Each structure stands twice: as C-alpha cells, then as structure tokens.
Amino acid sequence: MLSGLKPAGCKKPLLIILAMLMPLSAAQAHAEENATPSTKPAPFVSFLEKTLLKVPAARRIEVGDFNGDHSPDLIFVTSDPSVIWVSCGDGKGKFLPPKKQGFGGGYKNAVVGATLIATDVDGDGKDEIVTFQERRISSESSEASLFLVTSSLKDESLNERFAVALPAGFSASSQPFVFGEDMNGDKKTDFVFGTNGDTDLFVMSASTGSQMPSTDSIARMSSGADESKSSFQALALDADNDGATDILKVGEQQIIMIRGEKDVLHISGGSVKPELIVSNFTGPSFDGSAIILHGRMNGDDFDDLFVVDRAGIGWVLLNVGGERFSTFLSLGLSGYALIQCGDFNGDGLSDLVVAGGGYDGLKVQLNSGEAHFDKIIERHFGGKPVSCLRVCDVNNDGLSDIIVILRGSLGMSEGRVLLNISQRLKK
C-alpha cells in the first residue's frame, strides 16, 4: 500500500509510522477482546493420518532404530511370548507392513509386554531388544529367570545374543521393570531392573573394556523405601539435571531417589544412600497401578512428574531443583486408560494425549504453561476404540507424532500413524 505514496518532506516518515501503528492497534484490540487470562494463544495443531495396514492385537509399541538407517522402526508386542511384529520406517512417517518375527524360542512365561525396551547395548549405532523371559528347567524345579538380549535386525531376522542368569529370588513374573541407561557417565549402557513389589533394585553394569554387561557385575541396591506402604513403580530420568540418569521409586505417599553418579555402580553390598525426596502426599494416592510419566511441565530445566492415581485423577508434581517434588495441579482423567506425554507444538513443554477406556478416539491437551492443560484437538476413528497408544517423533522434525492401534477382530487390528503437521509455537 505504501508503494504509491510520493515523497512529501517529513510526511513520508509520519505516514509510514501511522500505517504501521494502525494494523498493530487493531490486532492489539482484537487480542485484548478475545484474550483468556493466563493462557497462551493456541497454535494450529493438526495431524495427517496414515495407515499401517493390519497389525496384531498389540499390548505395547516399542520404538528404536533396529537396522541402523537413523530412522525410527516399530515393534509391536503381543501376548505371544515367542513372537513380535516389526515395521521398518523411512524417516518420513511411512512404515512397511509389519512382519512376524520369532522371538526368544525355547523360553516360557515371557512378560515382554511390560518389560521390552530398545537400546544400543554394544555401541554399534543400532538398537537391540532387551526383555525378561523365564525357562523351566524341569517339571519339578523352579523357573530360572533370564535376562535376554537379542541382536539388531539384520536381513529381517532376530538372533539371540546372550542370556544372563538373574539373582536368586528375582522373579520376572512379579511386575518387573528394566531400564537401559548410562548410569555413571562412561557412555556405556548399564541396566537397572527389579519388580514393583520389591523396594530394592538391581544394577548390571557394562564390562570393563566392553560395551556388553556381564553376569558378575550385578549389584543389589536397597532403595530405603518404607515397605509397609503399597507397591512401587520405578522411573529412570535425570531428575537433578546433572547429566547422569537417576532412579526414582514412586509409592504410596513417598518418592525415593537414587542419584546417578560416577561411583553409583561400584557399590559394595548395596551401600547406596537413597534420598526420601517426597513423603506424606496430601491428595494423591499412588500405588503399583498408577500411571507415571515424566516431562517438562513448566518452563524450568528440570523434569517433572505426571501421575494418574487409581481414582483417575492426574497430578502434576513439579520438580523443585532436583531436591523434591511438590504437588501442583489435579486434572480429572477418569475413563482414559491410555495416557502419554509429547510436545505437539514445539514449545518445549510436555502436552498430554489420552485415549482408551471405552472412548473411540483420542484427545490432545495442550500445556499452556505452568502445567495448565487445555483440550485443543479431538480425533475419532469411526467408532473403533484405541487399544494401544504411543507417542514418538517418527520423522525427526522435533514435533511429537502419535501411533495408535485400533481394536479389530480375529486377532488383527488396524494401525494408524498420526503425523504431526502442526504450526510450531514460538517460545
């Protein structure tokens, strides 16, 4: 509009200033008229839906780079302990139809649905699959718990790498957990495992001069938790933001932290010093069935917790400098069995996606700052309920995408990838 104006002494700067101020004032008036107190403007958030064709009735979806092409691949874990389904991705949001793979032949009573993880065990740039399985030695003897690691995908096949006998008394049938993390900063994968019913932890460190963990490097660590409380759940995260992975044990009215540090794996007789960083909650009631997530719920540099208790109430526990967690916000989530965190608008804050519990779609709730969540998008799937939910960045663009399994018939379901094409929110 200004291109047609002729020079007129000092009038040109004045006209330019007026032209710039007029649309600004109009926009400001519109923003003030429609502003919502303490809420950021909601950005454009949308998903491009793609289909994974038919997939098994998965209990869990695991993500990793199993063929070394730097693109996320998917593993669908089913109730069959000897089978998994693998779908390789192209890094652009497309995945090949899932293929059935034999897994852990000869072992029984696997609990891979709850404990399978993907991590680069040997440092070759490809993820391996780690899980618990059990084997019965004879019809009269007790089952021997095993720690099974399989190789990365090669020629679309899986091969067992090694199995490590776990300490006596450890049972892979009692709500086990496992994390593959660098606990002491040596850039090698260490493993932390245990059960929700036991307050103690086991740590298996990588062997000296090798990336592979060894049987003789297993140490038992007492978390110091109050065993009179209900069962616990474990989380692996850098709670104090010092670059080393910490372990949290979350139980009824208490959170125990074992801080990761250089010497945490060189303990003797479990002589670790756990810290009781939260005790005597007022309001939340956490137990072994609680859903526990972690992410950046506010604008600081520390990971916070989001816990859904047995009453279906979500609680945000803000991390106060890695020293304690404070209860901050409750959010009613009754009826949603599937809940995950993700950053759907690129603002660095963790948002929520919920599904399941008889609801035939999913809801994304945007974190508008300081752990206040607003519903911004709702997606339905033609009456098909979501039976499995996973959040990950499948095309490496910095925005979280969503993968769902829709319940089908005859043991097969339909997989959908919701590729995030949202407008990135400026910080």
Side-chain angles (χ1 to χ4, degrees), residues 112-424:
V112 294
T115 61
L116 185 143
I117 64 171
T119 185
D120 186 3
V121 178
D122 54 9
D124 65 351
K126 296 184 291 185
D127 288 327
E128 282 78 44
I129 303 166
V130 184
T131 187
F132 293 113
Q133 291 193 348
E134 293 186 338
R135 179 177 59 186
R136 184 174 296 279
I137 300 175
S138 68
S139 59
E140 298 180 355
S141 64
S142 60
E143 292 176 333
S145 299
L146 298 173
F147 191 75
L148 181 70
V149 179
T150 64
S151 70
S152 303
L153 283 176
K154 184 178 181 181
D155 300 325
E156 299 182 350
S157 63
L158 293 168
N159 301 294
E160 182 179 322
R161 288 286 287 275
F162 66 84
V164 177
L166 296 180
F170 179 87
S171 173
S173 300
S174 303
Q175 294 183 298
F177 61 84
V178 59
F179 305 111
E181 301 285 346
D182 177 9
M183 294 292 295
N184 57 353
D186 64 356
K187 298 182 179 179
K188 298 178 181 179
T189 300
D190 310 299
F191 292 100
V192 179
F193 57 93
T195 65
N196 289 343
D198 191 350
T199 58
D200 291 349
L201 305 170
F202 295 93
V203 178
M204 183 167 63
S205 62
S207 303
T208 303
S210 170
Q211 291 289 113
M212 307 299 289
S214 63
T215 309
D216 57 2
S217 62
I218 297 178
R220 186 173 187 127
M221 306 166 69
S222 175
S223 67
D226 184 354
E227 297 191 46
S228 66
K229 304 290 185 180
S230 62
S231 60
F232 290 78
Q233 291 192 50
L235 287 88
L237 71 158
D238 184 3
D240 51 9
N241 201 28
D242 66 349
T245 302
D246 311 304
I247 302 297
L248 299 185
K249 290 281 279 184
V250 180
E252 184 76 19
Q253 297 186 330
Q254 59 181 318
I255 297 179
I256 309 297
M257 177 190 286
I258 297 177
R259 296 185 189 272
E261 56 187 30
K262 183 176 181 180
D263 295 327
V264 73
L265 300 174
H266 300 92
I267 59 177
S268 176
S271 58
V272 67
K273 295 181 179 179
E275 302 174 36
L276 180 63
I277 59 174
V278 173
S279 61
N280 299 321
F281 284 124
T282 56
S285 181
F286 305 153
D287 60 7
S289 63
I291 301 172
I292 306 177
L293 307 170
H294 65 87
R296 300 292 171 90
M297 300 296 173
N298 59 0
D300 64 19
D301 294 329
F302 296 93
D303 266 6
D304 309 298
L305 300 182
F306 185 84
V307 185
V308 183
D309 67 14
R310 55 176 170 255
I313 304 297
W315 298 87
V316 175
L317 277 68
L318 290 181
N319 188 339
V320 184
E323 300 300 325
R324 62 186 177 88
F325 288 85
S326 61
T327 304
F328 182 77
L329 174 72
S330 63
L331 182 67
L333 293 171
S334 179
Y336 298 108
L338 306 172
I339 303 173
Q340 290 216 349
C341 291
D343 184 0
F344 298 107
N345 58 4
D347 65 351
L349 296 176
S350 295
D351 311 306
L352 296 177
V353 56
V354 298
Y359 180 70
D360 66 347
L362 59 81
K363 295 181 179 181
V364 175
Q365 293 179 265
L366 181 70
N367 187 343
S368 59
E370 293 299 322
H372 289 280
F373 295 93
D374 302 312
K375 186 182 74 173
I376 61 167
I377 190 169
E378 188 170 2
R379 172 80 65 158
H380 291 271
F381 303 104
K384 298 179 181 179
V386 177
S387 62
C388 193
L389 172 69
R390 180 64 191 254
V391 171
C392 64
D393 184 2
V394 301
N395 57 351
N396 299 312
D397 65 350
L399 295 174
S400 296
D401 308 297
I402 301 173
I403 304 171
V404 297
I405 303 297
L406 306 180
R407 188 176 296 120
S409 59
L410 301 176
M412 298 298 290
S413 304
E414 187 175 314
R416 302 279 181 89
V417 176
L418 302 184
L419 192 63
N420 194 336
I421 56 173
S422 304
Q423 173 185 347
R424 187 182 293 269

